[in-house]
């Protein structure tokens, strides 16, 4: 099971990432744009995705892992249960969310490192 500390370590390992609070909970930013937030429950992560269709597909394919609430209806944002993913999958999810919000040049630099 992934913990809050695991999420923090994975997020902060991404280039130009900082941690600040958002709605009183830990959130992660790349160059001032948020890309992940730990919800009040402490075991759920809020992540942007590329489109509402992607969000719907994730929820339909893996409802034990991905879900939403009415608050996020109409937004390309998905919720992820910590207990349903391992560290490798969480790293991928955070990296994809980071890429959505990172400046193009910074994202390209990450690709060059891979």
């Amino acid at each position: 099971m992934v913990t809050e500390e695991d999420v923090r370590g994975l997020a902060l390992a991404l280039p130009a990432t900082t941690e600040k609070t958002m709605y009183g909970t830990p959130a992660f930013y790349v160059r001032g744009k948020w890309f992940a937030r730990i919800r009040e429950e402490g075991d759920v992560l809020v992540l942007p995705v590329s489109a509402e269709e992607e969000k719907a597909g994730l929820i339909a394919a893996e409802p034990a892992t991905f879900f939403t609430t009415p608050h996020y209806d109409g937004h390309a944002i998905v919720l992820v249960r910590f207990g349903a993913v391992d560290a490798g999958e969480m790293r991928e999810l955070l990296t994809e969310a980071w890429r959505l919000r990172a400046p193009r040049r910074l994202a390209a630099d990450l690709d060059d490192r891979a």
Side-chain angles (χ1 to χ4, degrees), residues 7-106:
V7 170
R8 178 174 283 108
L10 293 166
L12 292 174
L14 293 163
T17 295
T18 58
E19 180 178 346
K20 298 186 250 180
T21 58
M22 179 190 289
Y23 304 114
T25 64
F28 304 95
Y29 296 77
V30 57
R31 300 272 167 88
K33 294 183 180 181
W34 82 275
F35 69 91
R37 179 176 79 85
I38 298 172
R39 278 182 46 105
E40 296 77 11
E41 300 93 326
D43 63 352
V44 173
L45 190 65
V46 181
L47 291 173
V49 292
S50 62
E52 286 188 68
E53 294 78 16
E54 179 183 0
K55 171 184 173 175
L58 288 168
I59 293 168
E62 297 182 61
T65 302
F66 302 102
F67 69 105
T68 191
T69 65
H71 177 78
Y72 296 105
D73 287 350
H75 301 281
I77 296 173
V78 70
L79 306 176
V80 183
R81 292 178 178 92
F82 285 12
V85 296
D86 63 22
E89 186 173 7
M90 183 60 79
R91 179 180 293 109
E92 289 176 24
L93 292 166
L94 285 164
T95 301
E96 287 308 307
W98 180 92
R99 283 179 196 285
L100 287 173
R101 301 295 170 92
R104 274 186 265 171
R105 179 170 283 161
L106 187 59

